[in-house]
């Protein structure tokens, strides 16, 4: 099958579809029919066409298929052929459609004289690209690129090439999603690759963080979890969840273990020690445990963790005696000041059981996976900006003004940068402080590829292609440039860059890269066929092996201490548990009404931030549902209503990330509070990664009370449902 | 009654009449359908009778899609690039083509709200286009041969063999 | 093709495996996207007028630290003996014998809301206002599904538009529907596979096979005699506890 | 005119001695029917009531009309925008509109009951208050008939509930309790209007005769349908009234039973109860009789109808009210006892809600209004004979009975089977519309008294004709004609 998608895009720019098919306006009796000027080859009026592409809402890189009817994208579904998510998709991924049709999307490039004023003047695309080219040329090595983890893989490669060619510092790939899921700490504890586990045939899983609702690969793990719970012959996996606040994973877990914050790794270490001492799980496992688990006083650890020693023994025994146990690291412990050690302590449990994370696939040459930068690297760039070494800053797919703690100093550093260019399609917090915004095509209108972050034992390169023509192409602004084309156009004016980026447009680049891939699962003898199949099936991956290979981890014994908390216990009596909620993710979802208005699964809250607090603590402090609380940490304070939450430790309050936007469109603006304001910019023991967990806070009532926008009835939810 | 009273009564009566009857008349006038097409000279009769073109040539979706479809400008130009290319209406068409503008045809058949009508199923059940659309080949300007309302649908459906299935509300309303 | 196919009668059935449901909300958003279900603004949520054809009910059991949360996805149960059907004075809701669907005909609804009161599951939603889709968000609307105006009830249809589309295609192609050819949007999205869908009258279908001698299968409020089409597989336990 | 002598042939001669005078006075004070003032004087008094509206009454009428108009504007807004400004939500789909429907239908029961049932039972006290009560029925029903339409999401489609043959082959669903309800209400409205109209005929003719040549006279002559008071007309009138009285009683009972079935036929906890039929009828009569007492109080005070509406009527009605109160308590207690003993979780949820939960203040207020106040006071003869206090008690019962319906509809609905969906009802736009509906009823009641004699003079006259005092030796006794 050979589809000349590119030609389609070129010629059908003006091919508006028949406008009103749905009776939105009851009284509109006589509707005008607008047929295509030139219909796309595949289109039959009234029948849908599906295009395979890659989700751009989370960094996971799920394969999606988009249902297109009469030139409008109407539904995003999981790509059943895609080996990562196998036809399934999470809430965030499905809501991406609203990014495409967001009412506050920019129609074209805009500039503002004074950053932060939000007084934008429209600009013609050609003019904007010229201005940018001038700036970039002038900046030379003073160019810096800051991109998020959802950035298309081809842009990652182009950015890297461009920076290298112009002697600019290497681009920084850092966003809140990566930060709050401790990509950096997890990777550095696991030999540079994010650990992913195959739990389909596991009979027991110990998880140290939410992996079904958030985390690096929620959909992948969702599919796996389904298989884990419904194995052959009625076998059912057992899941124990170690976390201070019950996440949705904790809710489906067979056992929720509310370990004291910062002590999760201690519990893991103690369990490993118990296995060694009690000789659980046979001689081999006990021996390995003896090698890897250092001496600890189990009773003391249990008390420190606020658990019963018996419970730890029981859990350790269950783990050791299970046929295929798996421990999944992540969550808050990975974001503590000893995050790397904590992750390793969890990995020791796996080592005892004889499992390791799935092996990363071999990446074809020329293509690089999107490896997140560490917080230290991001800080280094901020420092450069602060020192005036950065003349032009390009911000793509990230929103550092919103995402970074105040203490990181990004906002102040921006003032020292001559030209700040954002590529955000909606004015977000960073774009508000930019001099110029060149709105990118959303991922549904753009090209690209993406190396899937999860190491599922083989390489998955997901394809990205436009499913609709760029939605905004005004006369006044001219045809829209994709960011890749902007980069290639700018490169044409810089001799060093033109050598590194010789392609006429990004599609030429993509065709070359994809055409050079070895024959994958879909074969194809010539580059053109491979390119067509790559687009048709949603990507490139090798034919499926029988079993994904697990990698063997080299581990040394880890003596892990309780994570240090930030803030004095007597001044700040409560732990703060920050998490990314299922609907809003790290804040990307906040601008989309489907996600704002869909209830959070645990609290059924919509449209707001909230503070989860244990009923006992709430009772002691006289706090009721809906009381506006002032939460203060050593770094700042925010206000949000209380939600009395039965499944959280009494010494902990939990606040979801994602709200508190000052910009980012009408649905996100001035809604809730940004929990990042409570975090500091401290790094962990390695000095590389952000230590975002174990911040201590104090909570006060402000005296105000609101009616919570919740879906449930709080009284009814306490009742039992009788089946 | 004195004369001024009568005058007043007449005036008030007229105002009341206007207030109550006015919207009604306006409504009737506003709902008089106007089937004038953007290219007024376009004639189905000429295309069907003189040129002998089959309905499905232009409305190709009828056999395979719920929507029969309106031909694209490209399809029109496929013939009119050469056929009658100098004539005034065709020049108009060519203007649309050159500007890359879609032609806003006026809808002739308007289903009521909350109804779905699949063309392909009806065609595959053996219905001719003329059964519902009338003899379009005889019409210069197409006007509805039927008002597509529910009573009209029912009249066919109830006579069929599988009438129970066909009369099910959920067949068309969802 | 089974015997039941010959009579043309089906009983579309959904199975919800509570052991697999992680409450991730993918089904909720899928339903909104597929069925043009409007999102309630914050003030409307506070007024308790959220509109979610598919919702995840979360119940707490026990107290800290032995607290347990249970997710129960609730959607229209498509009852065989639906309480909502006989009470509608104008047949706006009635039983579709062909598919065993509990049908809601928006065009016929006068808005007495009697059906909603008599629904023990409270899965029927009323349009208190006309839905608003700020331009150009209206582009996302599914053209196969009508947008309901103010004053009519609405509820889960088991994605009847998908069933019809598949039926029409099958009819045009001169064949019958295959098992698994139709999936509602929620089932399609569900990452863990907690939702399954099929024709229970077709003995060869996956759902019929799964329900056969399944000790975990229960139905919601079954004592009311509503004969729902949604089966819940109760959460199991493992050896460790 | 010699109507007096003609119609009261058995009236004895004026008492002779002072002792006799005292006896006669005593009996007359007690009994209106023994206190004839002569037909013409009585007619003039009744007609005069149409012109006795003072300045304050008129101001009240204007205010009430304004409030009713405001409600109309509220409804218009609702027609265009949808039901969004009401307090209904995703759990509680029926609110004050339905409560008003039940309430006004309930009020509507008293008129028919007092007029028809008392007539059938030969209960003489009805005569002067029958029309006042029927008028309450008339306008309460008018309001009640509006509310199902106001309540609809798409009221312009209400005609779909009427069984008309159509090309779409669509019929109403005769299985639906709401459909029965629509038909029952329509039957009852038509029956009640005819019943009251038949009773009006002689008095309309009487008004026609006593009005100068103007538009009023033309109106009355058109409305009186050529009534001349011939023997044949009277005979027909008598038989038609009697037939109607017999027929309308089962209709009346069926209407409120069917209204109760709107609730009882569902499976909503708290609603699903077999006792609802009789319970609702008792409740309806209870609130209806109280409403008639309110109307009587108004009429006596504002229209100075002290001659017709006497303490003895208040006394009788108050006794009746007391009986209804006991009956209502009996049913309510029975309902709750069964629920409590049955101990079904969803039903107990509602019981808890009412007795100690969020709804407890409303519930206890209702108990106070419906039980404590009437039962505590009405056993006293002094209270029963005091129109002022009775007026206050009757208003309390109105509040109580409104609350009862509010609890059934607006509160119980908030406790469905699945606890996740519990809810609470805060009415919004319904409040002005309900106020408007009350104003509407009272407004038209007053307007009605301007056009029509609110006392059925022919009935009172008939009663006096059939009753009298007779002197047997030294004893003066009441007697009743056997002509009836």
């Amino acid at each position: 099958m050979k589809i000349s998608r590119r030609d389609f895009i070129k010629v059908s720019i003006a091919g508006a579809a028949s406008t009103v098919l749905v009776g939105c306006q009851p009284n509109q009796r006589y509707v005008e029919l607008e047929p295509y000027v030139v219909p796309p080859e595949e289109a039959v009026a009234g029948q849908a066409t599906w295009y395979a592409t890659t989700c751009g809402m989370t960094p996971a890189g799920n394969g999606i298929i988009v249902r297109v009817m009469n030139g409008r994208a109407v539904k995003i579904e999981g790509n059943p052929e895609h080996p990562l998510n196998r036809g399934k998709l999470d809430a965030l991924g499905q809501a991406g459609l609203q990014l495409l049709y967001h009412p506050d999307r920019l129609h074209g490039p805009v500039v503002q004289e004074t950053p932060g004023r939000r007084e934008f003047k429209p600009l013609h695309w050609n003019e904007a690209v010229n201005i940018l080219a001038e700036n970039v040329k002038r900046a030379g090595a003073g160019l810096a690129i800051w991109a998020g983890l959802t950035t298309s893989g081809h842009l990652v490669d182009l950015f890297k090439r461009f920076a290298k060619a112009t002697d600019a510092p290497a681009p920084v790939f850092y966003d809140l999603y990566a930060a709050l899921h401790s990509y950096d700490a997890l990777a550095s504890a696991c030999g540079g690759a994010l650990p992913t586990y195959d739990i389909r045939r596991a009979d027991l899983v110990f998880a140290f963080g939410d992996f079904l609702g958030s985390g690096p690969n929620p959909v992948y793990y969702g599919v796996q979890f389904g298989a884990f719970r419904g194995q052959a012959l009625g076998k059912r996996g057992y899941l124990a969840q170690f976390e201070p606040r019950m996440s949705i994973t904790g809710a489906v877990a067979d056992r929720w273990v509310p370990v004291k914050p910062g002590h999760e790794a201690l519990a893991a270490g103690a369990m490993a020690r118990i296995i060694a001492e009690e000789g659980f799980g046979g001689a081999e496992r006990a021996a390995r445990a003896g090698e890897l688990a250092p001496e600890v006083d189990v009773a003391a650890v249990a008390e420190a963790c606020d658990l019963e020693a018996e419970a730890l023994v029981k859990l350790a025994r269950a783990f050791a005696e299970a046929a295929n146990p798996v421990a999944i690291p992540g969550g808050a412990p990975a974001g503590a000041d000893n995050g790397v050690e904590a992750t390793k302590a969890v990995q020791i449990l796996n080592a005892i059981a004889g499992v390791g994370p799935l092996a990363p696939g071999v990446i074809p040459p020329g293509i690089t996976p999107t490896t997140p930068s560490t917080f230290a690297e991001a800080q280094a760039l901020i420092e450069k900006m602060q020192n005036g070494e950065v003349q032009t800053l390009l911000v793509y797919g990230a929103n550092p003004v919103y995402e970074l703690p105040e203490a990181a100093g990004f906002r102040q550093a921006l003032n020292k940068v001559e030209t700040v260019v954002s590529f955000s399609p909606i004015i977000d917090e960073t774009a508000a402080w930019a001099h110029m915004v060149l709105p990118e095509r959303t991922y549904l209108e753009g090209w690209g590829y993406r190396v899937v972050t999860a190491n599922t034992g083989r390489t998955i390169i997901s394809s990205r292609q436009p499913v609709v023509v760029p939605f905004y192409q005004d006369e006044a602004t001219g045809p829209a440039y994709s960011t890749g084309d902007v980069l290639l156009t700018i490169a044409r004016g810089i001799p060093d860059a033109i050598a590194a980026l010789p392609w006429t447009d990004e599609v030429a680049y993509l065709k070359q890269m994809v055409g050079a891939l070895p024959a994958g699962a879909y074969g194809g003898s010539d580059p053109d066929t491979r390119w067509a199949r790559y687009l048709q099936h949603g990507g490139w991956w090798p034919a499926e092996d029988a079993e994904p290979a697990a990698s063997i981890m080299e581990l040394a014994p880890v003596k892990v201490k309780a994570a240090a908390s930030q803030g004095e216990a007597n001044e700040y009596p409560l732990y703060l548990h920050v998490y990314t909620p299922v609907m809003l993710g790290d804040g990307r979802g906040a601008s989309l009404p489907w996600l704002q208005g869909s209830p959070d699964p645990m609290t059924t809250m919509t449209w707001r931030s909230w503070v989860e607090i244990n009923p006992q603590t709430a009772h002691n402090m006289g706090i009721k549902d809906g009381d506006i609380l002032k939460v203060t940490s050593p770094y700042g304070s925010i206000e949000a209503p209380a939600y009395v939450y039965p499944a959280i430790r009494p010494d902990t309050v939990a606040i979801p990330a994602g709200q508190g936007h000052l910009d980012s469109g009408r649905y996100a603006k001035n809604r809730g509070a940004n929990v990042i304001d409570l975090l500091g910019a401290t790094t962990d023991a390695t000095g590389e990664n952000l230590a975002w967990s174990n911040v201590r806070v104090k909570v006060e009532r402000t005296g105000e009370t609101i009616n919570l926008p919740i879906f449930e009835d709080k009284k009814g939810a306490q009742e039992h449902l009788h089946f | 009654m004195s004369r001024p009273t009568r005058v007043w009564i007449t005036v008030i009566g007229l105002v009341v009449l206007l207030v109550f009857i006015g919207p009604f008349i306006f409504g009737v006038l506003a709902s008089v359908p106007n089937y004038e097409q953007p290219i007024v000279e376009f004639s189905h009769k000429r295309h069907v009778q003189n040129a002998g073109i089959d309905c499905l040539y232009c409305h190709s979706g009828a056999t395979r899609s719920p929507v029969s479809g309106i031909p694209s400008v490209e399809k029109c130009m496929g013939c009119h690039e050469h056929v009658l290319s100098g004539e005034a209406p065709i020049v108009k068409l060519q203007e649309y083509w050159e500007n890359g503008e879609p032609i806003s045809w006026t809808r002739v058949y308007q289903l009521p709200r909350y109804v779905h009508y699949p063309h392909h199923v009806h065609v595959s059940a053996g219905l001719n286009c003329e059964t519902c659309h009338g003899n379009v080949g005889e019409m210069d300007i197409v006007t509805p041969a039927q008002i597509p309302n529910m009573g009209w649908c029912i009249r066919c459906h109830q006579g069929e063999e599988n009438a129970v299935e066909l009369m099910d509300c959920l067949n068309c309303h969802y | 093709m089974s015997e039941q196919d010959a009579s043309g009668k089906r009983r579309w059935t959904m199975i919800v495996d509570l052991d697999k449901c992680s409450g991730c909300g993918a089904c909720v958003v899928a339903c909104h996207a597929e069925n043009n279900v409007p999102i309630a603004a914050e003030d409307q949520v506070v007024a308790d007028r959220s509109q979610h054809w598919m919702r995840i009910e979360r119940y707490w059991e026990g107290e800290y630290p032995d607290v347990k949360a249970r997710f129960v996805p609730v959607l229209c149960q498509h009852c065989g003996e639906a309480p909502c059907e006989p009470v509608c004075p104008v047949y706006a809701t009635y039983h579709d014998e062909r598919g065993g669907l509990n049908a809601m005909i928006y065009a016929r609804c006068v808005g007495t809301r009697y059906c909603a009161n008599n629904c023990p599951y409270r899965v029927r939603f009323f349009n208190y206002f006309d839905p608003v889709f700020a331009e150009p968000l209206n582009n996302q609307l599914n053209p196969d599904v009508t947008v309901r105006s103010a004053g009519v009830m609405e509820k889960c249809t088991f994605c009847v538009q998908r069933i019809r589309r598949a039926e029409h295609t099958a009819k045009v192609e001169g064949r019958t529907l295959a098992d698994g050819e139709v999936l509602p949007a929620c089932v399609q999205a569900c990452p863990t596979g907690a939702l399954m869908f099929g024709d229970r009258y077709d003995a060869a279908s996956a759902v019929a096979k799964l329900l056969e001698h399944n000790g975990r299968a229960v139905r919601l409020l079954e004592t009311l005699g509503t004969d729902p089409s949604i089966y819940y597989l109760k959460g199991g336990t493992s050896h460790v506890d | 005119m010699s109507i007096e002598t003609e119609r009261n042939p058995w009236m004895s001669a004026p008492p002779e001695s002072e002792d006799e005078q005292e006896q006669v006075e005593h009996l007359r004070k007690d009994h209106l029917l023994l206190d004839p003032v002569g037909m013409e004087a009585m007619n003039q008094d009744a007609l005069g009531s149409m012109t006795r509206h003072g300045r304050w009454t008129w101001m009240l009428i204007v205010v009430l009309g304004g409030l009713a108009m405001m409600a109309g504007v509220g409804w218009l807004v609702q027609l265009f925008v949808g039901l969004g400004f009401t307090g209904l939500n995703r759990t509680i789909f029926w609110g004050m509109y339905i409560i008003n429907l039940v309430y006004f239908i309930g009020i509507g029961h008293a008129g028919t009951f007092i007029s028809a049932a008392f007539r059938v039972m030969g209960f003489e006290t009805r005569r002067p208050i029958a029309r006042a009560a029927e008028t309450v029925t008339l306008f309460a029903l008018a309001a009640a008939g509006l509310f199902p339409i106001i309540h609809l999401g798409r009221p312009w489609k209400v005609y779909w509930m009427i069984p008309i043959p159509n090309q779409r082959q669509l019929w109403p669903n005769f299985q639906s309790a709401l459909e029965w309800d629509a038909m029952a209400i329509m039957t009852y409205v038509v029956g009640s209007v005819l019943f009251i109209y038949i009773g009006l005929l002689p008095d309309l003719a009487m008004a026609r005769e006593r009005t100068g040549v103007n538009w009023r006279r033309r109106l009355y002559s058109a409305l009186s349908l050529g009534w001349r008071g011939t023997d044949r007309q009277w005979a027909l009138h008598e038989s038609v009234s009697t037939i109607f009285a017999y027929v309308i009683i089962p209709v009346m009972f069926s209407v409120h039973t069917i209204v109760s079935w709107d609730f009882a036929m569902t499976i909503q906890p708290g609603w699903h109860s077999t006792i609802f039929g009789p319970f609702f009828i008792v409740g309806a009569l209870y609130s209806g009789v109280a409403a008639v007492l309110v109307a009587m109080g108004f009429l006596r005070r504002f229209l100075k109808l002290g001659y017709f509406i006497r303490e003895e009527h208040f006394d009788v009605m108050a006794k009746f009210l007391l009986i209804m109160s006991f009956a209502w308590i009996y049913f309510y207690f029975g309902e709750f006892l069964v629920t409590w003993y049955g101990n079904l979780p969803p039903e107990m949820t509602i019981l808890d809600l009412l007795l100690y939960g969020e709804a407890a203040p409303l519930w206890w207020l209702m108990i106070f209004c419906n039980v404590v106040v009437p039962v505590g006071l009405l056993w006293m003869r002094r209270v029963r004979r005091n129109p002022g206090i009775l007026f206050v008690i009757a208003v309390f019962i109105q509040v109580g009975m409104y609350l009862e319906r509010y609890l059934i509809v607006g509160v119980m609905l908030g406790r469905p089977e699945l606890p996740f969906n519990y809810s609470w009802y805060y009415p919004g736009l319904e409040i002005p519309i309900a106020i408007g509906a009350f104003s509407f009823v009272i407004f038209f009641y007053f307007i009605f008294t301007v056009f029509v004699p609110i006392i059925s003079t022919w009935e009172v006259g008939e009663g006096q004709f059939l009753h009298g005092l007779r002197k047997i030796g030294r004893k003066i006794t009441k007697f009743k004609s056997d002509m009836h």
Side-chain angles (χ1 to χ4, degrees), chain A residues 542-625:
Chain A
E544 195 153 6
D545 300 328
E547 261 317 295
S551 60
I552 307 300
M553 285 197 58
E554 296 290 326
L555 278 172
V558 179
K559 177 91 182 164
V560 65
K561 290 202 304 280
S565 49
Q566 306 176 30
E568 286 303 317
N570 43 12
E571 196 184 345
Y572 303 103
L574 296 166
Y575 285 104
L576 171 69
H577 181 83
V578 181
Y579 68 98
T580 52
V582 172
M583 289 298 163
L584 303 185
D586 63 343
R588 254 173 258 263
S591 54
L592 311 183
W594 275 342
L595 296 171
Q596 283 276 11
S598 291
D600 173 73
M602 294 307 288
T603 59
T604 76
M605 188 84 81
T606 56
W607 296 103
R608 269 197 182 265
S609 293
W610 63 94
V611 182
E612 286 165 21
I613 187 162
N614 183 285
Q616 195 55 50
T617 318
H619 179 78
N620 293 345
M621 298 176 73
I623 293 170
K624 288 194 184 63
D625 278 309

Side-chain angles (χ1 to χ4, degrees), chain D residues 352-366 407 424:
Chain D
D352 289 349
L353 176 74
L354 296 183
L355 294 182
Y356 344 96
E358 269 174 297
L362 292 178
W363 193 81
W364 288 107
L365 179 59
M366 178 199 72
L407 289 168
W424 186 255

Side-chain angles (χ1 to χ4, degrees), chain A residues 184-193 339-344 347 553-555:
Chain A
D184 39 14
L186 285 171
S188 57
C190 303
V340 177
E341 279 177 13
T343 308
K344 280 185 177 157
Q347 294 291 17
M553 285 197 58
E554 296 290 326
L555 278 172

Side-chain angles (χ1 to χ4, degrees), chain B residues 18 25 32 95-96 103 114 120 123 126-127 165-166 168 171:
Chain B
L18 209 70
I25 295 170
V32 167
E95 267 170 30
Y96 277 108
I103 309 172
Y114 302 124
H120 56 333
V123 173
L127 255 75
E165 186 184 325
L166 287 180
D168 196 87
N171 234 5

Side-chain angles (χ1 to χ4, degrees), chain D residues 316-329:
Chain D
V316 169
M317 295 299 281
K319 280 178 186 160
F320 192 54
L321 204 58
L322 189 59
I323 295 166
M324 293 325 295
S325 172
F326 284 134
W328 184 87
I329 293 165

